[in-house]
Amino acid sequence: MGLRPRLIIAFLSIIILPVVTIFGALSFFSYQLEQIEEEQNNEIESVLKEINKTVLESYDVITDTTQFYKEIKPVLQPYNLEVIVSSQEESVLFQSTDIVQNNSNSMFTMRHSQVQTLDGEILNIEIKSNSLDLSSELSYNKIITVIVISFSSGLVVLILLIVGWTLYISKTILNPLKQIYIATEEMREGNLNYNIGYNKRDEIGRFIKGFNTMRDHLKQSIAKQQLYEKNRKELIATISHDLRTPLQSIKGYVEGINDGIVQNEEMKKRYLHVILSKTNQLNRLIDDLFEFSKIDLDQLVMEKQLVSSDECFTNILQDAEVDLKQKQVQLVVKRPIPDVVINIDPKRMEQVFTNLLDNAIRYGASEIEITFAVNVHKMTLEIYIIDNGDGIAEEDTERIFEHFYRGEKSRSRDHGGTGLGLAIVKSIIKAHEGEVWAESKIGQGSKFVIVIPVKLEVTYIYTGSKPD
Ligand code: ADP
């Protein structure tokens, strides 16, 4: 139940339940009073009947006051009654106080009655009492008592409700608030693992859920930041190492040529080849760093234009072919390449494929085979680059697109990488409103998939010869 209904119920119950208790108690005790009154009336009636009966039965001895009192005493005594029997002419025939003096001075006439003897004489009987009847004063006291008891019960219920609701609200509202306070203190101290154990789906539950989500996000972003920092530091170490190693080797080979160690043309060619390859390595590293700094500063400029996909990919593959042949890489192009209009920056797109093909070669098998295929699916173009290389651990397939992230194997073996190539690929594809991902398993090669939007539907499918 939500917080608001709980509070409404609390307030309503605090108002309604004591009132109900008061009215309940009033009606209960009034009913009890009525019952008692009825019982007393019945008792009085039966006592009066008994007195009348005794007066009639003992009328013969009424002149013998002692004897008459003896007869009537069992009825009078238990109720502390007085009786006066007088004739119709109002001459007193018997008066109990003549025999026994009553100590009580608050006697009052309770009842007058008349009986007729067998002789036809009418006798007046007056009965006095100080207790049997309900005097108005007595009733008033009882009513006051009933009202006091009823209001006291209401008050007790009110106090119990206030205490009960206070305990309940403090348990369900104040305790979780205290927990949140502790959690914020813990967070301030740097502990992001403090868990608030509250599973109810009320307002506080939703707030705590939001709080926990915020804390998890913070935790993730701190972990990401730490990883980023760690990778950045590793990169500085890698860059200094990667710059120094080829530079030292270039320096060594140049010194060799300079010192005249190179004796023949073939040796010179070998030296120059090594120098060129090391210079290329340096060049790539510096290019990657330059691109990355532009991405990092959000300065990656796109010069998009509408181009034919077939033309674009054919050009890219043609340019790459020479290099691939030199490296004895077998390139399999699945034809026909669908021809649709795409809005891309051709130079950047070439950079994407250069990076992907370069990776496929660097992490490739001894006999490298790269498959290139393109598909049109609705209004998107899907491009596949599949290699038969080392493959990527499944848990790494997402992370390899992070800046500076390098697979475990690549770090241990010198592939001359920076961990920036795929991050650059992802940024470029993202700038084309597209997506890129890897599907791979260790030892089973890798498949890189790029999806970019198509601007105009297929104009024609290239089947070897273009239609007029
Ligand atoms: P690097 O400069 O390390 O190659 P990339 O961003 O290009 O950086 O690649 C990140 C990581 O992804 C590499 O270190 C490597 O572990 C893995 N990787 C990328 N392409 C491939 C591939 N074709 N085959 C196997 N592993 C790859």
Side-chain angles (χ1 to χ4, degrees), residues 242 284-285 288 355-364 385-393 396-397 399-411 415-425 438 440-442 445-448:
D242 288 359
R284 199 165 53 80
L285 180 65
D288 274 2
N355 283 4
L356 291 179
L357 292 174
D358 191 47
N359 278 354
I361 297 166
R362 279 190 299 128
Y363 304 106
I385 292 170
I386 305 159
D387 66 54
N388 62 343
D390 298 349
I392 306 160
D396 272 356
T397 49
R399 300 205 58 198
I400 52 173
F401 292 94
E402 290 174 14
H403 300 133
F404 310 126
Y405 187 82
R406 302 190 67 203
E408 205 57 53
K409 267 186 152 186
S410 346
R411 263 179 279 166
H415 287 284
T418 55
L420 287 172
L422 290 180
I424 293 169
V425 166
S440 181
K441 274 188 186 147
I442 288 283
S446 311
K447 180 181 189 181
F448 283 85

